[in-house]
Amino acid sequence: MSIETNKIIELSECNLETKTLLTGSLLKWMDIIACLAAEKCASVPCVTASVDDLQIDKAILLGHVVNLKARVNRIFNTSMEIEVLVISEDFYECSKICQAFFTFVTQPKPNGEKNIVPPKEPKTEEEKSLFALANERKKMRLDYRSSLKRLKDNKEELQSKFVADETSDKNSHVTSDNTYSECVEIVLPQHANHHQTTFGGQLMAWMEQTCTISARRLCHGLPRLLTVDEVFFRAPSKVGDRIVIKSRVNHIFDRCMEVGARVEAYAVGGETRHIQSAFFTFIAPDEKGNPKVLPNMKPMNKDDFYRMKRAEARVKLRSERRMILGNDGLNAVSLNEKNQKILCYKNILELMALYNKDTFKFKLEMAPVRLSQLKIDDSLCIRLETEVDFSAADVYRALSDHTKRKHWDMFITEVEILKEIKKSEDHVLRYKMSNLKPGCNTKGDDIIVLASCRQEKDYAIIAYRSVKLDEFPPVPEYHRAINRCSGFIIEGAKRNEYKTSCKVTYINQLTEHIYEYVKTDLKGATETLSQRAAALVQVIKTDVAGK
């Protein structure tokens, strides 16, 4: 379910000094198109609940065309994830500006009952991939919020660590109070949606404007917005409400700054209520467009200190997420309680990205396996496809029982389950692999992988990726190999009263050591891949017979 629209950037929508699109206008447009996609899918009124991972890669210039696309990735009963992609077009080329994920919720019925959206089953391979990844992002989102909540719970503990610097001159450095900004708006009919509540995008635009003022007061220049994070819509506001937006710079990190915004609303004579919060990251470009080094900031009281410490923790969380998502898989990342959700997401994301590539070239056929390959930068990726006369559930059950792999994979001599991640289908495994050159003075390989297993009716994913566990370092008897990205995608085929079958696809982005196990197959000299497929079929048969 998708929506697309295009806009030409006019002067009235631009910053008059830089001739670039006001970021607040872009946020409004993104929220509107996301709302249109949500309501088209749900067929009931919907409102914005939150926005995640909004990163603006570059500014949009006056006269450019902006293309906005929104699509529903998955429905979760009363909520849904909407992906919004923004592309800028000049006369010669297109550039990606940003991609963000909105969460929309349905408004309750007049009697107060929940408006539950009927689930829509994915049909195409792309839709199935988006469907699975949306669920992983939801888990990651909830885990991230839990981490942030723990920061709030430690407020008194953090404040108690503040020590005032009596010797410092308040005028010799920047303080948070120097950047404080407050703006007041009244919600008019043009600011409201068709439910007579304030557009989420309009609130984000007002927040961006207020935060920009705070950023300008710090850098004494023209700041540029980089990211918007933790946009949570706590409560609605209506036509006639007064909106108060408060912002200040929370912390400075060399060349960027985090600005926090708090939005309150009140009706005439009514109580003030907290309706929204968010954090904006800005840089201050120099004449060449490079980020300038920003002045230091010092806390003057316990509240300043608390805001700075929370900002440091948020930046650390964001940096870890970016590091993991940007990791190419050649170096294993250490798994811990804080990053396991994002690692599981990365595991499945990378496998699905390879699976959806349509540039694989057929290499050879080794019945019952069809082998294709694809060169990606400096690595070779192989894709094996076969069809088996079992249901997707039967195949998934056999493949997700990791201890059975040594029964059908001739190169695996032992499988250890090192760790089970709580409340999930994820495990950390250690594979011990046979020595390819017995009799020579060489070691066998061992690999520690994160195995992420997901099943959605007749569609399943099993993804593998190397990780590190501090309690299981490399041992002298084995060479610690790397599994860059590999896994299985299982798709149920059409059923009839006579036959049940499914398509099984195996993908592996080969590293140097893993390549040694398949190189003779790729040259057509051996058929170990087809032998392993045949052995897997036997394992599934035994498993089905024993049910």
Side-chain angles (χ1 to χ4, degrees):
M1 194 70 67
S2 61
I3 294 281
E4 181 175 351
T5 189
N6 295 277
K7 293 180 179 290
I8 296 178
I9 307 305
E10 299 178 351
L11 188 60
S12 60
E13 297 153 342
C14 287
N15 182 314
L16 298 180
E17 295 175 278
T18 61
K19 299 296 190 294
T20 57
L21 175 66
L22 293 168
T23 312
S25 296
L26 178 61
L27 297 176
K28 282 195 289 186
W29 295 345
M30 293 175 71
D31 182 67
I32 289 170
I33 195 170
C35 181
L36 292 173
E39 294 189 338
K40 181 179 179 181
C41 176
S43 300
V44 295
C46 299
V47 293
T48 318
S50 66
V51 186
D52 298 314
D53 296 330
L54 202 163
Q55 181 168 332
I56 301 173
D57 296 332
K58 58 191 297 187
I60 305 173
L61 300 178
L62 174 66
H64 283 194
V65 173
V66 174
N67 174 263
L68 298 103
K69 297 178 182 177
R71 65 183 174 191
V72 179
N73 288 336
R74 184 162 180 160
I75 297 169
F76 301 97
N77 291 328
T78 60
S79 67
M80 63 201 81
E81 182 193 86
I82 316 294
E83 179 183 358
V84 178
L85 178 66
V86 181
I87 303 291
S88 174
E89 304 174 18
D90 61 16
F91 297 113
Y92 304 103
E93 61 181 6
C94 298
S95 303
K96 177 185 171 184
I97 300 300
C98 71
Q99 180 183 29
F101 297 95
F102 288 68
T103 300
F104 273 75
V105 296
T106 58
Q107 287 202 317
K109 297 177 181 178
N111 60 5
E113 291 182 5
K114 292 183 178 180
N115 247 325
I116 296 177
V117 184
K120 290 179 172 56
E121 296 299 325
K123 297 178 181 178
T124 66
E125 291 182 358
E126 183 185 22
E127 287 175 350
K128 290 176 181 178
S129 298
L130 296 171
F131 191 79
L133 289 170
N135 196 43
E136 295 305 306
R137 277 190 292 270
K138 181 181 180 181
K139 294 177 185 177
M140 189 171 63
R141 192 180 299 127
L142 295 174
D143 184 66
Y144 184 55
R145 290 179 188 174
S146 297
S147 299
L148 296 174
K149 185 178 183 301
R150 287 193 290 271
L151 294 176
K152 291 182 181 179
D153 295 340
N154 294 335
K155 181 175 182 178
E156 291 184 2
E157 180 184 344
L158 285 173
Q159 287 181 327
S160 66
K161 297 179 181 179
F162 171 71
V163 178
D165 186 357
E166 303 292 345
T167 62
S168 66
D169 180 4
K170 186 175 181 180
N171 298 318
S172 66
H173 53 260
V174 178
T175 67
S176 181
D177 287 345
N178 297 147
T179 68
Y180 180 77
S181 174
E182 184 171 319
C183 296
V184 181
E185 304 283 352
I186 183 169
V187 182
L188 300 174
Q190 62 264 34
H191 302 139
N193 55 30
H194 45 298
H195 318 308
Q196 297 306 304
T197 57
T198 316
F199 260 123
Q202 181 62 65
L203 287 172
M204 287 193 288
W206 285 337
M207 292 169 76
E208 186 271 338
Q209 183 182 43
T210 309
C211 288
T212 299
I213 294 171
S214 291
R216 288 179 72 139
R217 287 175 176 170
L218 184 135
C219 68
H220 304 291
L222 299 175
R224 182 166 77 82
L225 179 64
L226 285 185
T227 65
V228 184
D229 200 17
E230 297 174 51
V231 183
F232 301 139
F233 293 85
R234 300 168 179 268
S237 55
K238 299 180 179 180
V239 173
D241 279 351
R242 276 59 174 173
I243 304 295
V244 181
I245 308 104
K246 303 174 182 179
S247 70
R248 67 171 71 229
V249 176
N250 290 330
H251 207 340
I252 297 168
F253 302 93
D254 192 25
R255 297 176 187 271
C256 69
M257 67 189 98
E258 183 196 88
V259 184
R262 176 186 174 93
V263 183
E264 298 173 345
Y266 64 92
V268 176
E271 294 184 356
T272 300
R273 55 196 192 276
H274 178 200
I275 63 170
Q276 190 183 1
S277 294
F279 298 96
F280 294 70
T281 303
F282 290 87
I283 60 169
D286 60 17
E287 296 79 6
K288 296 181 179 179
N290 300 316
K292 294 190 293 187
V293 176
L294 299 171
N296 292 325
M297 174 179 281
K298 288 189 178 181
M300 303 306 296
N301 52 52
K302 290 183 177 181
D303 287 338
D304 285 353
F305 183 77
Y306 172 63
R307 280 192 293 268
M308 290 180 72
K309 289 301 177 183
R310 283 194 64 199
E312 288 173 5
R314 281 191 296 269
V315 167
K316 185 179 179 181
L317 283 172
R318 293 178 202 137
S319 298
E320 287 177 352
R321 288 171 62 179
R322 282 197 297 271
M323 184 271 292
I324 291 171
L325 291 175
N327 185 277
D328 60 7
L330 292 174
N331 296 298
V333 177
S334 292
L335 179 79
N336 56 55
E337 293 291 331
K338 294 180 180 179
N339 68 11
Q340 58 192 22
K341 289 290 191 302
I342 182 71
L343 274 171
C344 293
Y345 171 65
K346 172 70 171 179
N347 199 10
I348 294 172
L349 176 69
E350 288 294 298
L351 179 63
M352 299 314 298
L354 291 174
Y355 177 66
N356 288 325
K357 288 185 180 294
D358 57 4
T359 50
F360 278 89
K361 294 181 179 179
F362 173 73
K363 175 71 174 176
L364 52 90
E365 188 137 4
M366 299 177 289
V369 174
R370 177 183 172 90
L371 172 64
S372 304
Q373 64 183 36
L374 173 65
K375 188 78 172 176
I376 304 176
D377 297 328
D378 58 343
S379 68
L380 181 68
C381 185
I382 61 170
R383 175 176 179 144
L384 290 89
E385 295 172 302
T386 188
E387 199 163 305
V388 295
D389 294 332
F390 300 101
S391 69
D394 289 335
V395 176
Y396 174 76
R397 185 170 55 253
L399 287 174
S400 60
D401 186 346
H402 306 295
T403 58
K404 290 182 179 178
R405 180 150 187 170
K406 62 183 179 181
H407 298 309
W408 57 265
D409 190 334
M410 63 184 70
F411 295 121
I412 303 294
T413 60
E414 188 177 341
V415 180
E416 296 179 67
I417 299 178
L418 304 181
K419 182 177 182 178
E420 181 177 352
I421 297 177
K422 293 180 180 179
K423 297 180 181 179
S424 71
E425 304 161 289
D426 305 288
H427 298 80
V428 180
L429 313 173
R430 182 188 180 199
Y431 289 134
K432 294 181 181 178
M433 306 179 72
S434 58
N435 190 338
L436 289 175
K437 298 177 181 179
C440 300
N441 188 23
T442 58
K443 302 177 182 180
D445 292 323
D446 75 340
I447 307 176
I448 292 183
V449 297
L450 172 65
S452 302
C453 304
R454 304 290 185 269
Q455 186 180 22
E456 302 280 354
K457 293 188 177 179
D458 63 344
Y459 185 79
I461 303 165
I462 302 174
Y464 306 99
R465 186 179 185 85
S466 279
V467 293
K468 290 180 184 177
L469 283 182
D470 293 338
E471 57 268 39
F472 293 98
V475 293
E477 297 82 8
Y478 290 91
H479 172 269
R480 180 61 51 85
I482 293 290
N483 182 92
R484 189 169 184 176
C485 177
S486 66
F488 297 90
I489 294 91
I490 306 161
E491 298 176 87
K494 290 184 178 180
R495 299 185 177 202
N496 56 48
E497 55 183 317
Y498 304 108
K499 185 178 180 181
T500 298
S501 66
C502 73
K503 176 186 172 185
V504 181
T505 303
Y506 174 73
I507 291 175
N508 195 323
Q509 189 172 5
L510 303 172
T511 56
E512 180 181 351
H513 281 85
I514 303 301
Y515 175 75
E516 293 294 320
Y517 291 89
V518 299
K519 68 178 181 180
T520 53
D521 279 33
L522 297 177
K523 295 175 182 178
T526 58
E527 294 187 351
T528 62
L529 293 171
S530 63
Q531 291 167 14
R532 282 185 272 179
L536 174 60
V537 170
Q538 291 301 316
V539 169
I540 299 171
K541 279 184 179 179
T542 304
D543 190 60
V544 171
K547 282 199 302 181

